[in-house]
Amino acid sequence: YLYTRYLKSSDHLLRPGEYDISPSLPPSAIMARLIKGDVVTYKFTVPEGANLKEIARIIGASKLVEEPEVYKLMTDAAFARALEVPEAQDTLEGYLFPDTYRFPSGVDPKDLLRVMRQKLAKVMTPDVVERGKARGLTPHQILTLASIVEKETGAGKERPIISAVFHNRITQGWKLQTDPTVIYGVPDFDGNITKKHLETAHPYNTYIIKGLPPGPIASPGSAAIEAAVSPADVKYMFFVAQNDGTHVFCETLACHNKNVQKWQVDFFRKPKQDKGG
């Protein structure tokens, strides 16, 4: 106290917050830290492809904000409008950029989400928006397609190719028929997609609706966003997982059916040792 008075500092120069101060620090070092506002921050990382429920869980685990509180805010339509989310949806799904963040304790959850939204705005540059427009996509549709590409991609190098498949299907007037969108529309999905799921009508079931679903199904990263507006120059219409994180692509249904037989039927009939397991 006496040292503070000696410096002729007033209370408003001291920044509130949580500080990590060692008993061995001299008063001058303590004061410098308090005046600078060098507060303790807490880190959390949102991976590419995480949805709102998963993001809320990650933020809640950081102890910065309670999970129910932040999830409620994420799904508040008025707050979504305040953060310039189009009226096509009433949540922040797809609009919170996946990255590593640091915030001090006591952060306002609105400020926390606003920072994540602003990070996305920096990625959605005018160039990205213009390239999407040239392909008939609004910014909201860019994020929607990018989120699907993100969820379908196991190997990063395949993003532009998978994006091309969906662009080709849209151009041809086909249904996208992508499982991640179906799963997104299933409450409390248990991890096992069934024929009933594929046949149940809801806005995100791309086996039933044509074109893109009404909004993103997860938070896409910058590479997926780039792939959405700059797909590979290929004519592929189909792809199937090779069970190692990669896919094999085809232009025709006959080719695709052969790959489905090889990788989704015969592969699982082989003895374990033949699979390299």
Side-chain angles (χ1 to χ4, degrees):
Y1 173 77
L2 291 175
Y3 185 74
T4 305
R5 293 298 298 268
Y6 170 73
L7 292 177
K8 297 182 180 179
S9 299
S10 55
D11 288 343
H12 75 274
L13 292 178
L14 306 182
R15 300 177 184 270
E18 180 181 350
Y19 292 85
D20 183 10
I21 297 175
S22 167
S24 63
L25 284 177
S28 59
I30 294 174
M31 284 303 302
R33 192 166 295 185
L34 295 175
I35 292 172
K36 182 181 178 182
D38 188 13
V39 298
V40 174
T41 58
Y42 293 87
K43 180 178 74 171
F44 64 85
T45 299
V46 175
E48 297 168 339
N51 60 35
L52 288 186
K53 289 183 178 179
E54 294 165 336
I55 295 173
R57 195 175 305 124
I58 290 168
I59 295 174
S62 73
K63 305 302 181 182
L64 283 164
V65 184
E66 292 294 328
E67 180 181 339
E69 179 184 5
V70 75
Y71 184 72
K72 182 179 179 180
L73 196 55
M74 290 174 176
T75 53
D76 182 277
F79 188 59
R81 296 290 85 76
L83 294 191
E84 299 182 350
V85 174
E87 292 184 5
Q89 69 176 40
D90 292 333
T91 73
L92 296 181
E93 190 72 88
Y95 284 81
L96 301 176
F97 191 72
D99 203 348
T100 296
Y101 296 90
R102 286 185 176 274
F103 292 95
S105 61
V107 62
D108 186 320
K110 290 184 178 180
D111 291 337
L112 182 149
L113 296 177
R114 191 172 287 110
V115 168
M116 298 178 72
R117 171 69 178 97
Q118 290 170 346
K119 188 68 179 287
L120 174 68
K122 293 179 180 179
V123 175
M124 292 287 289
T125 63
D127 174 63
V128 168
V129 172
E130 281 301 312
R131 281 186 286 147
K133 184 178 180 180
R135 294 184 176 276
L137 300 175
T138 66
H140 184 68
Q141 290 172 326
I142 292 172
L143 288 177
T144 301
L145 178 56
S147 71
I148 297 172
V149 171
E150 195 73 86
K151 297 299 287 186
E152 284 281 20
T153 306
K157 64 182 181 181
E158 291 186 350
R159 287 190 183 98
I161 306 175
I162 289 176
S163 174
V165 171
F166 292 130
H167 275 282
N168 292 341
R169 290 181 181 179
I170 291 172
T171 300
Q172 294 296 322
W174 291 18
K175 296 181 178 71
L176 295 188
Q177 294 188 328
T178 170
D179 291 357
T181 62
V182 177
I183 292 169
Y184 183 79
V186 177
D188 303 317
F189 181 68
D190 64 3
N192 181 35
I193 192 166
T194 66
K195 183 178 180 182
K196 182 179 179 181
H197 289 144
L198 301 181
E199 295 175 344
T200 300
H202 59 74
Y204 289 85
N205 189 342
T206 53
Y207 282 82
I208 294 177
I209 67 167
K210 275 191 175 182
L212 293 167
I217 59 173
S219 287
S222 56
I225 293 172
E226 177 65 22
V229 298
S230 296
D233 184 14
V234 294
K235 296 180 180 180
Y236 297 135
M237 300 295 289
F238 305 93
F239 60 90
V240 63
Q242 298 184 97
N243 306 301
D244 63 353
T246 65
H247 298 83
V248 58
F249 299 85
C250 278
E251 294 183 15
T252 67
L253 181 59
C255 169
H256 177 63
N257 286 339
K258 288 181 180 179
N259 286 330
V260 170
Q261 180 68 35
K262 177 179 180 180
W263 294 106
Q264 298 301 312
V265 179
D266 296 344
F267 179 87
F268 292 104
R269 288 177 177 170
K270 293 179 181 180
K272 187 175 181 180
Q273 59 269 24
D274 290 347
K275 302 176 189 178

